[in-house]
Amino acid sequence: MRTTAGAVIIGGGVMGASIAYHLSEKGFTDVVLLERKHLAAEGTGHSGALVRQHYSQDPIVKMAVRSVQIFEEFEDRTGRTGVFNQTGWIKIGSIDMRAEMERLIERHKPLGVKADLLTIDELEELIPGINTDGIGSALIEHGGGHADPVATTEGFADVARSRGIEIIEGVSATGISTTANRVSEVTTSDGAISTEIIVNAAGPWSPEVARWVGVELPIKVTREQDLILESDDATPRPEYPVSDGLDRIYWRPDRTRLLAGDGHPKENEFVDPDNYKNTHDAKFEHELMTRLKHRIPGFADHARVIGGYASLYDVTPDWHPILGRVDGIDGYINCNGWSGHGFKLGPSVGELIAEDIVDGTSSSIDISSLGLDRFEKGALLAGSYAGNQA
């Protein structure tokens, strides 16, 4: 392990790997990425991995649009095939959500998002066997889809590593030293690394890392559950990833299976990231299957649960991330608080953080509204829908 580095990235999920990759694109390779387990071990590897651009705040929309572009180029960039499935993404909602869907579709057009409202007949054609009772709005975003979260992370990391960036798995960051209000060293379970730049991309562990430099992040950690379904029946599995704001569920194809999870609004389960149950609950399975059987009975009535898990979100008070530098601590950069949105935004966020490190500012997208100082200023960001529907 290097004992000095131009920058140290703490966290080996999609954010850390993407930052490393984009730094290598800029020729900045004096970098160490630290991951205490293995790449994509936590939230990234358990992500629902839906890819969409339908967001409320323009900086997030712009990140999502750029991420789709990078996903479209992923094979050329990394040599990995079949990582991004650009099937389109469908959102389902109530009649009360229709006006906001229409407004966002129009607002997103100048930003490069192609989406259309769906009639009930069109929705039934795209999702055979869907129960349309109660559905008052739906849209399809043509550039969206779903991706393999582990392959995405490993693809970025492999290229960064091949260009000279040191990616270390199985080594924990244990502290940060500062000198004259500037970061100067990261201590690890395998020694120390002198550096002038540290990126906190530690997900649910970001508050702990931030406290090493005297920064308090308003992040809470929630436990989120997913099921894996399979069916031998001839009835086709849904082929589109769907965010169903009416029934508070989402699903996406996963090879021959369907991954499904719970959406918002709901009561959050706050946990200690070092001590939580990482398997799904029987009650959750029953409740989610009840909702799936109501909405997509053609598949769910014949499906069986073959697995499930629980993972973690790092949630901020306004469900939007914390990005950028912090006044008073030179060289420290936040990249956390993703509130369940991180994977789909990771490809572009890595580019933005790399711009900050190399050029001194994130120039391609204005992310000033996403800084930590917004909480002190009372400038929280609003979402068009509940919770992490954003």
Side-chain angles (χ1 to χ4, degrees):
M1 184 177 73
R2 300 177 195 180
T3 57
T4 62
V8 174
I9 303 164
I10 300 176
V14 68
M15 292 298 167
S18 179
I19 295 165
Y21 167 82
H22 285 288
L23 284 172
S24 76
E25 285 280 279
K26 287 179 164 289
F28 190 106
T29 58
D30 184 19
V31 178
V32 174
L33 184 154
L34 297 170
E35 168 51 50
R36 66 175 187 166
K37 292 183 178 178
H38 57 82
L39 294 174
E42 299 291 348
T44 293
H46 296 101
S47 172
L50 279 67
V51 176
R52 64 169 168 109
Q53 303 154 94
H54 188 82
Y55 280 99
S56 306
Q57 296 289 331
D58 282 2
I60 304 296
V61 178
K62 291 175 182 179
M63 289 180 202
V65 169
R66 178 58 178 151
S67 285
V68 166
Q69 293 171 349
I70 294 170
F71 273 124
E72 291 172 339
E73 301 163 358
F74 201 79
E75 182 176 349
D76 290 338
R77 287 173 175 265
T78 69
R80 293 208 172 210
T81 61
V83 172
F84 178 43
N85 297 281
Q86 199 167 29
T87 56
W89 167 81
I90 293 173
K91 183 172 183 64
I92 294 169
S94 65
I95 188 64
D96 292 338
M97 296 170 69
R98 184 181 179 90
E100 187 65 4
M101 279 192 192
E102 292 175 336
R103 186 184 74 84
L104 289 176
I105 287 172
E106 291 304 311
R107 202 178 104 201
H108 291 166
K109 284 181 179 178
L111 302 179
V113 182
K114 297 178 181 179
D116 294 296
L117 285 175
L118 293 171
T119 66
I120 291 297
D121 288 345
E122 289 170 334
L123 185 63
E124 289 178 319
E125 184 176 345
L126 294 172
I127 310 174
I130 187 172
N131 173 12
T132 60
D133 287 354
I135 294 177
S137 56
L139 65 78
I140 182 167
E141 183 185 284
H142 303 289
H146 58 99
D148 183 327
V150 175
T152 300
T153 305
E154 291 178 344
F156 281 139
D158 286 348
V159 175
R161 191 183 286 116
S162 73
R163 293 172 175 168
I165 287 179
E166 188 169 3
I167 295 177
I168 304 174
E169 300 173 79
V171 172
S172 302
T174 57
I176 297 173
S177 299
T178 59
T179 303
N181 294 323
R182 182 176 190 92
V183 300
S184 57
E185 183 181 79
V186 177
T187 55
T188 81
S189 56
D190 195 34
I193 306 169
S194 297
T195 186
E196 293 187 345
I197 298 172
I198 296 170
V199 182
N200 180 357
W205 292 269
S206 292
E208 178 184 358
V209 173
R211 284 192 287 271
W212 296 341
V213 295
V215 171
E216 288 295 327
L217 298 180
I219 288 174
K220 294 184 178 181
V221 179
T222 66
R223 176 174 174 261
E224 307 290 335
Q225 302 178 64
D226 290 271
L227 299 179
I228 303 168
L229 281 66
E230 191 172 64
S231 176
D232 296 328
D233 191 83
T235 303
R237 173 203 61 179
E239 293 302 316
Y240 287 89
V242 171
S243 296
D244 177 357
L246 185 61
D247 302 291
R248 300 185 299 105
I249 51 179
Y250 62 84
W251 66 78
R252 69 161 169 89
D254 184 17
R255 298 180 176 86
T256 62
R257 299 165 177 170
L258 195 77
L259 178 72
D262 198 13
H264 285 82
K266 65 179 181 181
E267 183 176 349
N268 289 302
E269 180 186 357
F270 298 107
V271 296
D272 176 353
D274 292 314
N275 183 26
Y276 75 99
K277 180 185 176 186
N278 62 9
T279 55
H280 76 279
D281 301 332
K283 180 181 178 182
F284 168 81
E285 178 177 328
H286 173 75
E287 291 177 350
L288 188 64
M289 287 303 299
T290 298
R291 279 180 272 162
L292 287 168
K293 288 179 179 181
H294 168 71
R295 187 56 63 196
I296 47 172
F299 173 77
D301 281 348
H302 303 282
R304 62 185 181 278
V305 176
I306 63 168
Y309 54 82
S311 59
L312 303 172
Y313 284 176
D314 48 327
V315 177
T316 65
D318 62 3
W319 294 90
H320 286 77
I322 302 171
L323 279 179
R325 298 178 185 253
V326 176
D327 290 341
I329 305 293
D330 289 343
Y332 170 82
I333 301 174
N334 278 313
C335 181
N336 41 59
W338 291 100
S339 307
H341 304 296
F343 172 74
K344 63 184 69 64
L345 302 175
S348 66
V349 171
E351 189 171 52
L352 292 167
I353 299 298
E355 289 171 357
D356 192 349
I357 291 171
V358 177
D359 306 326
T361 184
S362 298
S363 56
S364 58
I365 299 173
D366 180 2
I367 60 171
S368 58
S369 63
L370 299 171
L372 176 62
D373 59 351
R374 75 178 185 271
F375 299 103
E376 183 177 345
K377 295 175 180 177
L380 276 66
L381 301 171
S384 297
Y385 309 109
N388 83 329
Q389 293 188 61

